[in-house]
PDB file of all heavy atoms in Angstrom:
ATOM      1  N   TRP H 883      15.706 -11.612 -18.113  1.00  0.00           N
ATOM      2  CA  TRP H 883      14.640 -11.899 -17.145  1.00  0.00           C
ATOM      3  C   TRP H 883      14.028 -10.598 -16.601  1.00  0.00           C
ATOM      4  O   TRP H 883      12.811 -10.423 -16.572  1.00  0.00           O
ATOM      5  CB  TRP H 883      15.252 -12.756 -16.033  1.00  0.00           C
ATOM      6  CG  TRP H 883      14.468 -12.952 -14.780  1.00  0.00           C
ATOM      7  CD1 TRP H 883      14.733 -12.396 -13.563  1.00  0.00           C
ATOM      8  CD2 TRP H 883      13.314 -13.786 -14.583  1.00  0.00           C
ATOM      9  NE1 TRP H 883      13.828 -12.825 -12.632  1.00  0.00           N
ATOM     10  CE2 TRP H 883      12.948 -13.681 -13.235  1.00  0.00           C
ATOM     11  CE3 TRP H 883      12.557 -14.602 -15.424  1.00  0.00           C
ATOM     12  CZ2 TRP H 883      11.864 -14.363 -12.698  1.00  0.00           C
ATOM     13  CZ3 TRP H 883      11.473 -15.282 -14.885  1.00  0.00           C
ATOM     14  CH2 TRP H 883      11.127 -15.163 -13.539  1.00  0.00           C
ATOM     15  N   LEU H 895       0.661  -1.877 -16.048  1.00  0.00           N
ATOM     16  CA  LEU H 895       0.282  -0.624 -15.383  1.00  0.00           C
ATOM     17  C   LEU H 895      -0.353   0.349 -16.375  1.00  0.00           C
ATOM     18  O   LEU H 895      -1.260   1.108 -16.010  1.00  0.00           O
ATOM     19  CB  LEU H 895       1.495   0.004 -14.704  1.00  0.00           C
ATOM     20  CG  LEU H 895       1.971  -0.749 -13.455  1.00  0.00           C
ATOM     21  CD1 LEU H 895       3.294  -0.194 -12.957  1.00  0.00           C
ATOM     22  CD2 LEU H 895       0.922  -0.679 -12.345  1.00  0.00           C
ATOM     23  N   SER H 907     -12.766   3.843 -15.253  1.00  0.00           N
ATOM     24  CA  SER H 907     -13.022   2.720 -14.349  1.00  0.00           C
ATOM     25  C   SER H 907     -12.127   2.833 -13.111  1.00  0.00           C
ATOM     26  O   SER H 907     -11.067   2.236 -13.030  1.00  0.00           O
ATOM     27  CB  SER H 907     -12.748   1.407 -15.085  1.00  0.00           C
ATOM     28  OG  SER H 907     -12.786   0.332 -14.183  1.00  0.00           O
ATOM     29  N   SER H 911     -14.369   6.367  -5.125  1.00  0.00           N
ATOM     30  CA  SER H 911     -13.477   7.324  -4.456  1.00  0.00           C
ATOM     31  C   SER H 911     -14.175   8.675  -4.270  1.00  0.00           C
ATOM     32  O   SER H 911     -13.560   9.722  -4.428  1.00  0.00           O
ATOM     33  CB  SER H 911     -12.210   7.533  -5.297  1.00  0.00           C
ATOM     34  OG  SER H 911     -11.581   6.312  -5.590  1.00  0.00           O
ATOM     35  N   ALA H 912     -15.467   8.656  -3.942  1.00  0.00           N
ATOM     36  CA  ALA H 912     -16.213   9.920  -3.830  1.00  0.00           C
ATOM     37  C   ALA H 912     -15.602  10.807  -2.765  1.00  0.00           C
ATOM     38  O   ALA H 912     -15.065  10.320  -1.773  1.00  0.00           O
ATOM     39  CB  ALA H 912     -17.663   9.627  -3.486  1.00  0.00           C
ATOM     40  N   LYS H 913     -15.678  12.100  -3.012  1.00  0.00           N
ATOM     41  CA  LYS H 913     -15.233  13.042  -1.988  1.00  0.00           C
ATOM     42  C   LYS H 913     -16.416  13.930  -1.605  1.00  0.00           C
ATOM     43  O   LYS H 913     -16.491  15.093  -1.975  1.00  0.00           O
ATOM     44  CB  LYS H 913     -14.029  13.833  -2.479  1.00  0.00           C
ATOM     45  CG  LYS H 913     -12.803  12.912  -2.574  1.00  0.00           C
ATOM     46  CD  LYS H 913     -11.629  13.591  -3.185  1.00  0.00           C
ATOM     47  CE  LYS H 913     -10.966  14.540  -2.203  1.00  0.00           C
ATOM     48  NZ  LYS H 913      -9.793  15.177  -2.817  1.00  0.00           N
ATOM     49  N   ASN H 987     -18.646  -2.870  -4.555  1.00  0.00           N
ATOM     50  CA  ASN H 987     -17.970  -3.176  -3.305  1.00  0.00           C
ATOM     51  C   ASN H 987     -17.319  -1.902  -2.823  1.00  0.00           C
ATOM     52  O   ASN H 987     -16.382  -1.402  -3.436  1.00  0.00           O
ATOM     53  CB  ASN H 987     -16.918  -4.265  -3.564  1.00  0.00           C
ATOM     54  CG  ASN H 987     -16.311  -4.823  -2.293  1.00  0.00           C
ATOM     55  OD1 ASN H 987     -16.555  -4.318  -1.204  1.00  0.00           O
ATOM     56  ND2 ASN H 987     -15.510  -5.867  -2.441  1.00  0.00           N
ATOM     57  N   GLU H 991     -17.721   4.907   5.478  1.00  0.00           N
ATOM     58  CA  GLU H 991     -17.037   5.429   6.655  1.00  0.00           C
ATOM     59  C   GLU H 991     -17.774   6.634   7.199  1.00  0.00           C
ATOM     60  O   GLU H 991     -18.264   7.460   6.421  1.00  0.00           O
ATOM     61  CB  GLU H 991     -15.587   5.799   6.295  1.00  0.00           C
ATOM     62  CG  GLU H 991     -14.811   4.543   5.949  1.00  0.00           C
ATOM     63  CD  GLU H 991     -13.388   4.802   5.483  1.00  0.00           C
ATOM     64  OE1 GLU H 991     -12.859   5.894   5.735  1.00  0.00           O
ATOM     65  OE2 GLU H 991     -12.828   3.884   4.861  1.00  0.00           O
ATOM     66  N   LEU H1009     -27.323 -10.663  -2.941  1.00  0.00           N
ATOM     67  CA  LEU H1009     -27.197 -10.375  -1.509  1.00  0.00           C
ATOM     68  C   LEU H1009     -26.297  -9.152  -1.307  1.00  0.00           C
ATOM     69  O   LEU H1009     -25.188  -9.086  -1.833  1.00  0.00           O
ATOM     70  CB  LEU H1009     -26.586 -11.598  -0.823  1.00  0.00           C
ATOM     71  CG  LEU H1009     -26.206 -11.451   0.647  1.00  0.00           C
ATOM     72  CD1 LEU H1009     -27.449 -11.222   1.505  1.00  0.00           C
ATOM     73  CD2 LEU H1009     -25.449 -12.692   1.120  1.00  0.00           C
ATOM     74  N   TYR H1015     -15.898  -5.700   9.490  1.00  0.00           N
ATOM     75  CA  TYR H1015     -16.319  -6.011  10.860  1.00  0.00           C
ATOM     76  C   TYR H1015     -16.847  -4.756  11.570  1.00  0.00           C
ATOM     77  O   TYR H1015     -16.168  -3.727  11.624  1.00  0.00           O
ATOM     78  CB  TYR H1015     -15.139  -6.584  11.635  1.00  0.00           C
ATOM     79  CG  TYR H1015     -15.382  -6.709  13.114  1.00  0.00           C
ATOM     80  CD1 TYR H1015     -16.379  -7.551  13.598  1.00  0.00           C
ATOM     81  CD2 TYR H1015     -14.635  -5.980  14.026  1.00  0.00           C
ATOM     82  CE1 TYR H1015     -16.616  -7.665  14.949  1.00  0.00           C
ATOM     83  CE2 TYR H1015     -14.848  -6.091  15.383  1.00  0.00           C
ATOM     84  CZ  TYR H1015     -15.851  -6.935  15.843  1.00  0.00           C
ATOM     85  OH  TYR H1015     -16.077  -7.045  17.187  1.00  0.00           O
ATOM     86  N   VAL H1018     -20.902  -7.207  16.974  1.00  0.00           N
ATOM     87  CA  VAL H1018     -21.361  -8.583  17.178  1.00  0.00           C
ATOM     88  C   VAL H1018     -22.405  -9.020  16.146  1.00  0.00           C
ATOM     89  O   VAL H1018     -22.517 -10.197  15.827  1.00  0.00           O
ATOM     90  CB  VAL H1018     -21.832  -8.764  18.642  1.00  0.00           C
ATOM     91  CG1 VAL H1018     -23.178  -8.080  18.860  1.00  0.00           C
ATOM     92  CG2 VAL H1018     -21.864 -10.222  19.042  1.00  0.00           C
ATOM     93  N   SER H1021     -22.391 -10.188  10.892  1.00  0.00           N
ATOM     94  CA  SER H1021     -22.714 -11.151   9.836  1.00  0.00           C
ATOM     95  C   SER H1021     -24.218 -11.282   9.604  1.00  0.00           C
ATOM     96  O   SER H1021     -24.650 -12.081   8.786  1.00  0.00           O
ATOM     97  CB  SER H1021     -22.090 -12.514  10.146  1.00  0.00           C
ATOM     98  OG  SER H1021     -22.713 -13.072  11.265  1.00  0.00           O
TER      99      SER H1021
ATOM    100  N   SER V1005     -12.498  -6.413  21.426  1.00  0.00           N
ATOM    101  CA  SER V1005     -12.751  -7.267  20.259  1.00  0.00           C
ATOM    102  C   SER V1005     -12.820  -6.397  19.005  1.00  0.00           C
ATOM    103  O   SER V1005     -13.866  -6.243  18.379  1.00  0.00           O
ATOM    104  CB  SER V1005     -14.030  -8.074  20.443  1.00  0.00           C
ATOM    105  OG  SER V1005     -13.845  -8.972  21.503  1.00  0.00           O
ATOM    106  N   GLU V1162     -12.229   3.017  -0.543  1.00  0.00           N
ATOM    107  CA  GLU V1162     -12.668   3.987   0.474  1.00  0.00           C
ATOM    108  C   GLU V1162     -12.980   5.347  -0.121  1.00  0.00           C
ATOM    109  O   GLU V1162     -12.298   5.794  -1.051  1.00  0.00           O
ATOM    110  CB  GLU V1162     -11.568   4.170   1.531  1.00  0.00           C
ATOM    111  CG  GLU V1162     -11.418   2.950   2.383  1.00  0.00           C
ATOM    112  CD  GLU V1162     -10.452   3.131   3.537  1.00  0.00           C
ATOM    113  OE1 GLU V1162     -10.347   4.251   4.082  1.00  0.00           O
ATOM    114  OE2 GLU V1162      -9.813   2.144   3.891  1.00  0.00           O
ATOM    115  N   GLY V1164     -13.158   9.546   0.087  1.00  0.00           N
ATOM    116  CA  GLY V1164     -12.331  10.586   0.699  1.00  0.00           C
ATOM    117  C   GLY V1164     -10.893  10.613   0.217  1.00  0.00           C
ATOM    118  O   GLY V1164     -10.118  11.466   0.640  1.00  0.00           O
ATOM    119  N   LYS V1170      -4.673   7.067  -5.404  1.00  0.00           N
ATOM    120  CA  LYS V1170      -4.766   5.611  -5.270  1.00  0.00           C
ATOM    121  C   LYS V1170      -3.965   4.939  -6.387  1.00  0.00           C
ATOM    122  O   LYS V1170      -3.173   4.031  -6.146  1.00  0.00           O
ATOM    123  CB  LYS V1170      -6.227   5.156  -5.335  1.00  0.00           C
ATOM    124  CG  LYS V1170      -7.055   5.555  -4.110  1.00  0.00           C
ATOM    125  CD  LYS V1170      -8.505   5.096  -4.263  1.00  0.00           C
ATOM    126  CE  LYS V1170      -9.332   5.449  -3.033  1.00  0.00           C
ATOM    127  NZ  LYS V1170     -10.760   5.122  -3.232  1.00  0.00           N
ATOM    128  N   TYR V1171      -4.180   5.436  -7.617  1.00  0.00           N
ATOM    129  CA  TYR V1171      -3.474   4.828  -8.748  1.00  0.00           C
ATOM    130  C   TYR V1171      -1.956   4.999  -8.605  1.00  0.00           C
ATOM    131  O   TYR V1171      -1.190   4.079  -8.867  1.00  0.00           O
ATOM    132  CB  TYR V1171      -3.955   5.429 -10.080  1.00  0.00           C
ATOM    133  CG  TYR V1171      -3.212   4.854 -11.269  1.00  0.00           C
ATOM    134  CD1 TYR V1171      -3.473   3.569 -11.716  1.00  0.00           C
ATOM    135  CD2 TYR V1171      -2.220   5.593 -11.912  1.00  0.00           C
ATOM    136  CE1 TYR V1171      -2.773   3.028 -12.782  1.00  0.00           C
ATOM    137  CE2 TYR V1171      -1.512   5.049 -12.982  1.00  0.00           C
ATOM    138  CZ  TYR V1171      -1.796   3.769 -13.414  1.00  0.00           C
ATOM    139  OH  TYR V1171      -1.092   3.228 -14.458  1.00  0.00           O
ATOM    140  N   LEU V1185      11.592 -10.257  -8.618  1.00  0.00           N
ATOM    141  CA  LEU V1185      12.163 -10.998  -9.749  1.00  0.00           C
ATOM    142  C   LEU V1185      13.660 -11.208  -9.555  1.00  0.00           C
ATOM    143  O   LEU V1185      14.201 -12.270  -9.885  1.00  0.00           O
ATOM    144  CB  LEU V1185      11.906 -10.252 -11.067  1.00  0.00           C
ATOM    145  CG  LEU V1185      10.448 -10.207 -11.545  1.00  0.00           C
ATOM    146  CD1 LEU V1185      10.321  -9.344 -12.791  1.00  0.00           C
ATOM    147  CD2 LEU V1185       9.912 -11.599 -11.823  1.00  0.00           C
ATOM    148  N   GLN V1245      -8.821  -1.020  -9.916  1.00  0.00           N
ATOM    149  CA  GLN V1245     -10.255  -1.353  -9.982  1.00  0.00           C
ATOM    150  C   GLN V1245     -10.556  -2.832  -9.735  1.00  0.00           C
ATOM    151  O   GLN V1245     -11.630  -3.172  -9.249  1.00  0.00           O
ATOM    152  CB  GLN V1245     -10.891  -0.861 -11.292  1.00  0.00           C
ATOM    153  CG  GLN V1245     -10.265  -1.302 -12.617  1.00  0.00           C
ATOM    154  CD  GLN V1245      -8.980  -0.599 -12.980  1.00  0.00           C
ATOM    155  OE1 GLN V1245      -7.944  -1.043 -12.545  1.00  0.00           O
ATOM    156  NE2 GLN V1245      -9.030   0.484 -13.774  1.00  0.00           N
ATOM    157  N   GLN V1248     -11.985  -4.268  -6.335  1.00  0.00           N
ATOM    158  CA  GLN V1248     -13.402  -4.311  -5.933  1.00  0.00           C
ATOM    159  C   GLN V1248     -13.978  -5.720  -5.933  1.00  0.00           C
ATOM    160  O   GLN V1248     -14.929  -6.008  -5.236  1.00  0.00           O
ATOM    161  CB  GLN V1248     -14.241  -3.484  -6.914  1.00  0.00           C
ATOM    162  CG  GLN V1248     -14.291  -2.025  -6.577  1.00  0.00           C
ATOM    163  CD  GLN V1248     -14.779  -1.239  -7.770  1.00  0.00           C
ATOM    164  OE1 GLN V1248     -13.999  -0.793  -8.599  1.00  0.00           O
ATOM    165  NE2 GLN V1248     -16.082  -1.097  -7.878  1.00  0.00           N
ATOM    166  N   SER V1329     -23.001 -17.376   9.162  1.00  0.00           N
ATOM    167  CA  SER V1329     -24.298 -16.753   8.921  1.00  0.00           C
ATOM    168  C   SER V1329     -24.912 -17.351   7.670  1.00  0.00           C
ATOM    169  O   SER V1329     -24.194 -17.701   6.731  1.00  0.00           O
ATOM    170  CB  SER V1329     -24.127 -15.242   8.729  1.00  0.00           C
ATOM    171  OG  SER V1329     -25.359 -14.652   8.343  1.00  0.00           O
ATOM    172  N   GLN V1336     -27.314 -17.306  -2.490  1.00  0.00           N
ATOM    173  CA  GLN V1336     -25.874 -17.140  -2.746  1.00  0.00           C
ATOM    174  C   GLN V1336     -25.051 -17.616  -1.550  1.00  0.00           C
ATOM    175  O   GLN V1336     -24.077 -18.348  -1.702  1.00  0.00           O
ATOM    176  CB  GLN V1336     -25.558 -15.658  -2.998  1.00  0.00           C
ATOM    177  CG  GLN V1336     -25.851 -15.206  -4.408  1.00  0.00           C
ATOM    178  CD  GLN V1336     -25.673 -13.693  -4.520  1.00  0.00           C
ATOM    179  OE1 GLN V1336     -26.270 -12.926  -3.756  1.00  0.00           O
ATOM    180  NE2 GLN V1336     -24.871 -13.271  -5.464  1.00  0.00           N
ATOM    181  N   ASP V1419      -5.239  17.004   2.168  1.00  0.00           N
ATOM    182  CA  ASP V1419      -6.620  17.035   1.704  1.00  0.00           C
ATOM    183  C   ASP V1419      -7.558  16.412   2.741  1.00  0.00           C
ATOM    184  O   ASP V1419      -8.627  16.953   3.070  1.00  0.00           O
ATOM    185  CB  ASP V1419      -6.673  16.261   0.371  1.00  0.00           C
ATOM    186  CG  ASP V1419      -8.044  16.272  -0.260  1.00  0.00           C
ATOM    187  OD1 ASP V1419      -8.779  17.260  -0.037  1.00  0.00           O
ATOM    188  OD2 ASP V1419      -8.387  15.300  -0.956  1.00  0.00           O
ATOM    189  N   LEU V1433     -19.550  -2.154  20.098  1.00  0.00           N
ATOM    190  CA  LEU V1433     -20.704  -2.864  19.535  1.00  0.00           C
ATOM    191  C   LEU V1433     -20.534  -4.376  19.597  1.00  0.00           C
ATOM    192  O   LEU V1433     -21.109  -5.098  18.798  1.00  0.00           O
ATOM    193  CB  LEU V1433     -20.909  -2.426  18.081  1.00  0.00           C
ATOM    194  CG  LEU V1433     -21.281  -0.954  17.864  1.00  0.00           C
ATOM    195  CD1 LEU V1433     -21.311  -0.623  16.386  1.00  0.00           C
ATOM    196  CD2 LEU V1433     -22.611  -0.631  18.518  1.00  0.00           C
TER     197      LEU V1433
END
Side-chain angles (χ1 to χ4, degrees):
Chain H
W883 167 252
L895 288 171
S907 171
S911 306
K913 290 174 76 179
N987 189 352
E991 294 176 18
L1009 173 65
Y1015 170 63
V1018 74
S1021 68
Chain V
S1005 294
E1162 290 186 33
K1170 290 179 178 175
Y1171 178 74
L1185 291 175
Q1245 55 284 86
Q1248 275 164 270
S1329 173
Q1336 279 173 306
D1419 183 29
L1433 296 174

